[in-house]
Amino acid sequence: MKIIAIANQKGGVGKTTTTVNLGAALAERAQRILLIDLDPQGNATSSLGMQDFEGESLYDPLLGETVIADKILPTRLDHLFLVPADLDLAGAEVEIARMPDHLLRLARTLRPLRADSAFDFVLLDCPPSLGILMSNALAAADEILTPIQCEYFALEGLVKIVRVVEQVRDSGANDQIEIGGIVMTMFDSRTNLSEQVVNEVRQHFGERVYRTVIPRTVRLSEAPSFGKSILEYDPSGVGASAYRSLAREFIKRHSLFPIARETERTRLSESLDG
């Protein structure tokens, strides 16, 4: 089982859209997927039409009052399961911060799932800020998948994420965490800027950047309001096609072509320093 934190400190970059639709596309390919909504706003939860399940968030498991298995709910999609979020998670930020092992609460909560191997991938939809919940996600995850909007400040945001990852490693909370993949989102083929941003990010981050680029489409924006993934809402559209392509590439990366971690780390560091 691999735990993937889908994270970006910047909001509005397609983070939750990528979590939900990548999860749905992986499940469509018979991968056993658990999506954990760590954002108190619960956007991933409502994107799957499951916002009415109150009191089923990770709040109690993080505080040690119950086990995570009690909070896992099936979705409409085969092979896709969800631990929903609600506003109680905002309170968990405060309560967990008082605990001596506050950075490791999520890692310990997820430990039984690793032992059971009930899922192929656990996708953590992180809040768009470096608080306790996101820090816990980075401490628990095997790697980070970072969605980046095709805009002018994309590279600047990526450099900040790299520094955060280095801080988590240096703190001892998770010395293996790294950026395993970067997904370019909201690509607008009508503008030169989108193409320039993609090329610049590829120049600095190389093979970490997925070949699949997620387009900016009205359908992708509409789907969450109907409580559906893009694969349900517009199954033959370009958005669904893009996320299916991303899922194929994701599976290939994690089964056939693992990244040479130390080599990549060194190359990335030299690229950023240069």
Side-chain angles (χ1 to χ4, degrees):
M1 187 186 83
K2 278 241 177 188
I3 300 174
I4 313 292
I6 301 182
N8 191 325
Q9 294 177 85
K10 189 177 184 300
V13 298
K15 176 180 57 63
T16 297
T17 298
T18 294
T19 305
V20 170
N21 292 307
L22 175 60
L26 289 170
E28 187 179 67
R29 299 181 67 83
Q31 299 293 303
R32 299 165 299 169
I33 305 300
L34 175 61
L35 196 163
I36 299 179
D37 193 346
L38 281 175
D39 190 342
Q41 297 179 81
N43 291 333
T45 300
S46 60
S47 292
L48 289 170
M50 299 184 68
Q51 63 272 18
D52 293 333
F53 289 91
E54 295 185 5
E56 298 296 330
S57 74
L58 210 61
Y59 177 84
D60 289 335
L62 284 173
L63 297 181
E65 297 177 1
T66 188
V67 295
I68 188 171
D70 294 340
K71 302 297 182 179
I72 298 175
L73 303 176
T75 69
R76 293 183 307 275
L77 304 177
D78 292 341
H79 310 299
L80 180 63
F81 296 81
L82 173 72
V83 176
D86 55 32
L87 288 175
D88 286 347
L89 278 177
E93 288 259 7
V94 178
E95 297 189 48
I96 293 172
R98 299 170 181 161
M99 298 178 175
D101 58 347
H102 62 279
L103 287 179
L104 301 175
R105 299 302 300 182
L106 180 58
R108 292 177 179 174
T109 299
L110 295 177
R111 194 172 294 162
L113 297 183
R114 284 195 187 274
D116 292 343
S117 297
F119 299 98
D120 295 306
F121 296 100
V122 175
L123 305 182
L124 307 175
D125 186 40
C126 300
S129 61
L130 190 61
I132 291 295
L133 291 174
M134 184 172 170
S135 298
N136 263 262
L138 299 186
D142 296 303
E143 63 183 60
I144 300 173
L145 178 64
T146 303
I148 297 294
Q149 186 178 358
C150 296
E151 63 171 21
Y152 183 73
F153 292 109
L155 193 60
E156 180 180 322
L158 270 173
V159 171
K160 291 180 180 178
I161 293 170
V162 171
R163 300 308 179 209
V164 169
V165 170
E166 290 174 349
Q167 290 171 8
V168 172
R169 283 203 299 260
D170 293 343
S171 73
N174 184 353
D175 60 4
Q176 300 299 313
I177 188 66
E178 57 195 314
I179 297 178
I182 297 166
V183 179
M184 304 304 298
T185 65
M186 303 182 188
F187 181 86
D188 189 343
S189 60
R190 299 169 300 178
T191 68
N192 291 329
L193 177 61
S194 286
E195 192 68 46
Q196 290 170 359
V197 170
V198 170
N199 290 337
E200 187 173 8
V201 173
R202 290 191 194 282
Q203 180 182 348
H204 284 273
F205 290 87
E207 292 300 315
R208 290 176 187 257
V209 185
Y210 277 82
R211 295 186 181 91
T212 301
V213 175
I214 307 301
R216 183 189 295 274
T217 75
V218 173
R219 294 293 193 182
L220 276 172
S221 300
E222 288 176 347
S225 64
F226 290 88
K228 295 181 177 181
S229 71
I230 193 62
L231 276 66
E232 301 168 275
Y233 182 67
D234 186 28
S236 59
V238 294
S241 176
Y243 276 107
R244 287 189 174 106
S245 173
L246 181 63
R248 289 193 298 270
E249 192 176 349
F250 181 93
I251 292 171
K252 189 174 183 180
R253 282 189 177 210
H254 287 87
S255 59
L256 298 177
F257 300 108
I259 295 173
R261 300 304 188 184
E262 290 302 324
T263 300
E264 280 290 308
R265 252 185 225 173
T266 302
R267 189 197 61 75
L268 180 60
S269 177
E270 291 173 351
S271 175
L272 292 175
D273 291 341

